[in-house]
Amino acid sequence: MGGTEPASSSVGFFPSIGENEPSRQPLSDCKVWRNPLNLFRGAEYNRYTWVTGREPLTYYDMNLSAQDHQTFFTCDTDSLRPSDSVMQKAWRERSPQARIKAAYQALNVYNDCATAYVLLAEEEAATISDAEIFFQQALKAGESAYRKSQQQQHLSSQHEAQHRRDTNVLIYTKRRLAMCARRLGRVREAVKIMRDLMKEFPILSMVNIHENLLEALLELQAYADVHAVLSKYDDISLPKSATICYTAALLKARAVSERFSPESASRRGLSTSEMNAVEAIHRAVEFNPHVPKYLLEMKSLVMPPEHILKRGDSEAVAYAFFHLQHWKRVEGALNLLQCTWEGTFRIIPYPLEKGHLFYPYPGCTENVDRELLPAFHDVSVYPKKELPFFIHFTAGLSSFTAMLALLTHQFPELMGAFAKTFLVTLLTPLSFVVEKIESIIPYNFWHQLTRL
């Protein structure tokens, strides 16, 4: 129900990294996925670096993106077209300056090179508005290339590969334009672009554009529309995500959170709607146990990576970065989450890795998250069941007593001398205090007090 993802039937539409690189992530539970809400390199990630001096993206994360770009935006026939040949080399360049220079070279060769505009929008544009201008140029060029390759896709396998590449470029460009509109406050326009894109390309369920749509609808507070999207994608046969599970929990919490009180709930018991909300929170927390600490601001957020690990800390960061404001907007939702989320770990069988509603939690998430998240971020580790303090205290006291008994049996004279010295050291301050009291308090009063 969410531990693994079904294999994709069409690798042309943004395949997962796990499918492209089986040697890097041999376990299906630890496949790395492209973040549906990843930020813009030039307009957001680079600006963060300019201000703070910190690199928000790791080399591993950027290397995965480089592989994505080569898969999405190149094909075998690129060598036949000079501009595409230049861009094929550009995506392999390690230096951002070299990639930008190559993109301009491609535009000098052919002014309607859509992938060159995409690269400039992602990496050279210093603001979202600049990125939107580049993407609009990419859309114009991409639509022309898509129509042309659509007519020729049945001629040969090479034409089919070119059409698949042109389709990827068109989908990517429209999606990023929707994200630009969302960033610039034109939320309704962003929703329309996303809906049209999902209608035009139904296979987009595998690139998770519905997660972009859910976030935009929450910004509009269109909760009925959010519920309609969830009813389609929160299905037992479809893969889960933190966005799906926590958005479902937010909707159910919204129905009861405004009037929820832990004291009154403990007296009268939970109502049916409150029980449904609590169960939805438990379900979400079991899927990704790292999210609540970010929503409750018990941990500091960082900029989300370009790739995430389902059920890992990287997914939790990416979700909370955009959805914290939606939880704050619903009155009482965070209070309900705070009161109930830790109860999840009492429901899951011990050891916690057995799972309850989902497949067992994968044990490889910590290592992968450390590769995806920057070094200055304290990576969240799956919470282990903690024993109460009195159990730790009793165990420690028993161990200490057993050690003393063993030492006394082995070295009786040495331990006797040690015990005598310890008692003398302990009682010396007490004797000093008694002498001081005797010198201050009259003898008769002190004598009567000690007799009592």
Side-chain angles (χ1 to χ4, degrees), residues 193-204:
I193 295 174
M194 293 175 196
R195 289 191 184 278
D196 292 343
L197 193 54
M198 295 170 69
K199 187 180 299 184
E200 185 178 1
F201 301 98
I203 201 171
L204 281 182

Side-chain angles (χ1 to χ4, degrees), residues 157-218:
S157 58
Q158 291 181 336
H159 285 89
E160 183 180 355
Q162 184 177 342
H163 176 64
R164 184 161 56 245
R165 191 280 305 272
D166 293 339
T167 304
N168 287 342
V169 173
L170 184 62
I171 292 173
Y172 185 90
T173 302
K174 287 186 175 183
R175 180 178 192 165
R176 294 304 258 178
L177 278 171
M179 295 175 73
C180 286
R182 167 67 183 91
R183 297 283 203 285
L184 296 172
R186 306 195 307 270
V187 187
R188 295 189 184 278
E189 179 185 339
V191 169
K192 183 180 185 306
I193 295 174
M194 293 175 196
R195 289 191 184 278
D196 292 343
L197 193 54
M198 295 170 69
K199 187 180 299 184
E200 185 178 1
F201 301 98
I203 201 171
L204 281 182
S205 60
M206 71 176 63
V207 299
N208 299 323
I209 197 173
H210 57 275
E211 296 193 11
N212 300 81
L213 180 60
L214 284 171
E215 195 280 327
L217 291 173
L218 286 171

Side-chain angles (χ1 to χ4, degrees), residues 253-260 331-333:
R254 177 176 171 269
V256 299
S257 60
E258 188 175 355
R259 300 178 301 277
F260 179 79
E331 185 177 354

Side-chain angles (χ1 to χ4, degrees), residues 8 50 59 90 95 121 141 155 214 239 248 251 257 266 277 283-284 288 291 319 347 380 392 415 418 428 432:
S8 171
W50 297 337
Y59 175 79
S95 168
L155 298 180
L214 284 171
L251 289 188
S257 60
S266 62
R283 169 180 178 258
N288 193 316
V291 172
Y319 171 79
I347 298 175
S380 176
H392 289 288
M415 291 301 295
F418 173 77
T428 297
F432 178 77

Side-chain angles (χ1 to χ4, degrees), residues 87-106:
M87 287 306 301
Q88 193 174 44
K89 297 176 182 178
W91 296 117
R92 298 194 182 100
E93 294 286 352
R94 291 183 180 272
S95 168
Q97 292 75 18
R99 289 194 294 271
I100 293 171
K101 182 179 179 180
Y104 278 114
Q105 290 176 352

